[in-house]
Amino acid sequence: QVQLVESGGASVQAGGSLRLSCVASENIPAGNCVAWFRQAPGKEREEVAAIYTGGVATYYADSVKGRFTISQDNAKNTVYLQMNSLKPEDTAVYYCAADILPPGYGGSWFRGPAYFGIWGQGTQVTVSS
């Protein structure tokens, strides 16, 4: 099974930038979904951004639109999350996850957190004011 490894988390000041990387142990074929989630202490996990592998479709949570950008480099089996204009409320553990869509699936490519069966170990992002 594919394994995901996140990196790039760090402590930064508000207004700063970070780029998170999610490296897959093998290629995730086109037509699937890779997403970034985050979980802050005492809060539920929330989706941040998602990308349709091999395509251009993306999804962003309202809280990060205009500040975060998700992208993919298929040659490197890597999905990135560029985070700009960071705020203290962005502080969380960030997780990368993959949803392998069933063959012939014709519904929405972003099915929601419950369908993501492959998860990385997470990387800590701390934003200080």
Side-chain angles (χ1 to χ4, degrees), residues 21-45:
S21 298
C22 170
V23 180
S25 58
E26 59 189 78
N27 177 255
I28 297 177
N32 293 295
C33 179
V34 175
W36 286 95
F37 294 82
R38 67 186 181 186
Q39 187 164 21
K43 294 187 177 181
E44 292 189 356
R45 183 178 58 195

Side-chain angles (χ1 to χ4, degrees), residues 44-86:
E44 292 189 356
R45 183 178 58 195
E46 62 173 343
E47 57 265 27
V48 175
I51 192 164
Y52 184 66
T53 57
V56 297
T58 56
Y59 159 87
Y60 295 96
D62 289 342
S63 59
V64 305
K65 280 181 181 176
R67 299 188 299 123
F68 290 10
T69 302
I70 190 170
S71 62
Q72 58 189 323
D73 184 335
N74 295 327
K76 297 182 178 179
N77 295 342
T78 302
V79 171
Y80 301 100
L81 184 68
Q82 178 67 43
M83 306 187 296
N84 298 329
S85 302
L86 283 162

